[in-house]
Amino acid sequence: MVVLDPAHGGADAGALLGAGDPEKNFIMTLAIRLHALLNARGIHSILTRDGDTTLDNNTRATIANSTHAAACVLLHATSTGNGVHMYTSSLPAAGPQDARRAFLPWQTAQASYEMESLRLESDMNSALTRQHIPVLLARTSIMPLDSMACPAVVVEIAPFDVKTPLTDLTYQEQIIEALATALQAWRSDWRMQP
Ligand SMILES: [Zn+2]
C-alpha cells in the first residue's frame, strides 16, 4: 500500500504557482492522476485528502502510520528551481530495525526508516533521470515527514526549465510515469527484503 500525501489544502493554499494557480490545487490534480495510474498497475494507493480540505500534519502522519504504508510520497510544487526536488528526513538515523518493535517517538519516528527512505528516493531518482528530468536531492527536517513510520520521501515538482512550466501536460505525464515506475520497482525491492 502506497500513501500519497498531496500537501496543503483547504485554508492552506501553499505556494502561488505561475498563472495564479495555488499549489494545493495543482498537486491535488497530479496526485489523483498518480493514484489512478498506480491502481491501474495493481499498486494499491490511497490519498490523505481527496478534496480541497484542510488537513493537519498529525492527521497526515496518522494515515501513513495506521495503514502501515510500504511507501509514502509527500507531494509539493514550487515555481522556482528546475526539475524535481526530493527530500528525505535529516533526523539522525536510529539504531537497528529491531528498535521498531518498541514504541517510536512521534516527533522522530522517521529516524528508524532512514535507510528505506533513501532507497525509495534512489528508485525515484533513477526513474526520473531516465525521463531526463533534472533531480535535486536534499535532506530536511519537517512535519509530517519526521513523524512517518514508513519509507517516506518529499517530492517537490518545479518547472523543467524556462520553456517548460508546471502546466506543461507532457512534463506532468513524464513525472507521473516516472513516479509510478519507481513505486513498481520499489514494490519488488520491498518484497525481497527480509
Ligand atoms: Zn508545498
Side-chain angles (χ1 to χ4, degrees):
M1 155 104 91
V2 171
V3 171
L4 303 175
D5 179 36
H8 314 290
D12 172 14
L16 201 61
L17 307 175
D21 194 18
E23 181 185 0
K24 64 172 184 174
N25 293 349
F26 174 83
I27 217 64
M28 190 69 226
T29 308
L30 210 91
I32 289 169
R33 285 165 61 197
L34 177 57
H35 173 62
L37 183 60
L38 286 174
N39 288 352
R41 293 186 182 178
I43 297 175
H44 184 44
S45 68
I46 59 161
L47 295 160
T48 52
R49 64 178 172 98
D50 54 13
D52 187 17
T53 48
T54 308
L55 205 60
D56 64 43
N57 286 330
N58 279 342
T59 306
R60 293 174 198 266
T62 300
I63 292 169
N65 297 352
S66 64
T67 54
H68 306 288
C72 186
V73 182
L74 300 92
L75 293 158
H76 285 263
T78 176
S79 57
T80 57
N82 188 27
V84 174
H85 311 150
M86 288 196 285
Y87 301 89
T88 50
S89 175
S90 58
L91 289 170
Q97 299 195 348
D98 301 54
R100 277 188 208 162
R101 297 206 180 89
F103 286 103
L104 292 172
W106 184 258
Q107 299 297 321
T108 60
Q110 180 59 210
S112 295
Y113 291 85
E114 196 162 301
M115 291 310 294
E116 283 94 340
S117 295
L118 287 169
R119 291 226 310 273
L120 173 62
E121 181 186 55
S122 169
D123 280 348
M124 296 200 281
N125 184 19
S126 302
L128 288 161
T129 304
R130 274 197 299 274
Q131 298 269 5
H132 308 290
I133 294 169
V135 176
L136 183 129
L137 304 179
R139 310 288 286 259
T140 188
S141 182
I142 49 160
M143 291 298 167
L145 177 64
D146 285 352
S147 287
M148 286 180 166
C150 61
V153 178
V154 174
V155 175
E156 184 186 57
I157 300 162
F160 194 153
D161 52 44
V162 282
K163 290 193 204 106
T164 312
L166 285 170
T167 48
D168 187 287
L169 289 176
T170 308
Y171 178 49
Q172 290 179 13
E173 203 54 53
Q174 284 177 315
I175 291 172
I176 292 166
E177 174 65 35
L179 293 177
T181 302
L183 287 163
Q184 278 180 291
W186 174 249
R187 182 172 62 171
S188 313
D189 287 356
W190 183 259
R191 280 181 179 161
M192 282 191 292
Q193 285 172 39

